[in-house]
Amino acid sequence: MLLGNFPKNGYKPFAWIPNIFISWRNHRYLNNVSIHPLDIKNGRVVYMTLHIEPEISLFRYSPEFSNVYEAIVWLSKSLPAGTILVIKEHPISLAVRSMHFYKFLSKIPNVKFAHIDSLSYDWIQKSILVSTITGSVGTEAIYQNKPVV
């Protein structure tokens, strides 16, 4: 079989290469628009982590919130004035989500992105509430006596 003569429904060679560039681009974008826990001087913070997509546990344990974007919009709308929603992307999902996803979220006034290299522990300490659908950050928040939604 010559290079380029692959079955139409088969594996595409080197299909993983674009993901490297997508991941790098998304990482760079998020680091440019993100905040660190030390950037929050005053104010209330609600911390939410994004999940690896597609996440099968979202469908099993929370079928009504399998759409992460919709869950973020609902949560941001229900927060009191002066409260920001800090969202931290899972590093493995950087190549999965589109740039449009991040740009749409950045248009929501009370939504901020956490720096990719920041620690969840620091954000949980800063937060008044932690929100998760199925992530382990909920368990971490309980150990730090933070309310979890």
Side-chain angles (χ1 to χ4, degrees):
M1 181 180 299
L2 296 172
L3 189 62
N5 293 333
F6 293 95
K8 290 185 182 204
N9 296 330
Y11 172 76
K12 294 183 180 178
F14 309 111
W16 52 270
I17 291 177
N19 286 348
I20 294 171
F21 296 106
I22 293 168
S23 177
W24 175 77
R25 182 195 65 200
N26 288 348
H27 188 277
R28 197 176 87 203
Y29 173 77
L30 286 177
N31 281 344
N32 287 335
V33 299
S34 63
I35 59 175
H36 290 275
L38 297 175
D39 294 338
I40 307 289
K41 302 296 182 211
N42 298 342
R44 295 175 295 201
V45 173
V46 173
Y47 177 59
M48 180 177 186
T49 55
L50 297 179
H51 303 284
I52 299 171
E53 298 267 344
E55 177 69 47
I56 192 67
S57 61
L58 292 178
F59 296 113
R60 176 163 170 81
Y61 297 115
S62 183
E64 63 277 357
F65 284 111
S66 60
N67 183 344
V68 177
Y69 180 78
E70 187 175 357
I72 292 168
V73 170
W74 284 14
L75 183 60
S76 71
K77 286 180 179 181
S78 63
L79 294 177
T83 305
I84 63 168
L85 176 59
V86 176
I87 299 171
K88 186 165 189 273
E89 176 63 281
H90 196 287
I92 295 175
S93 291
L94 285 171
V96 176
R97 299 186 214 278
S98 70
M99 183 70 75
H100 297 292
F101 176 81
Y102 301 121
K103 289 188 177 184
F104 282 134
L105 285 180
S106 66
K107 290 180 183 179
I108 302 172
N110 64 338
V111 171
K112 304 288 181 199
F113 292 106
H115 196 274
I116 294 291
D117 299 327
S118 62
L119 300 175
S120 286
Y121 180 84
D122 296 335
W123 283 112
I124 293 170
Q125 287 291 327
K126 278 279 195 195
S127 67
I128 59 168
L129 175 80
V130 173
S131 176
T132 185
I133 299 174
T134 62
S136 62
V137 73
T139 307
E140 295 172 31
I142 290 172
Y143 283 125
Q144 295 183 38
N145 295 321
K146 297 290 182 173
V148 178
V149 174

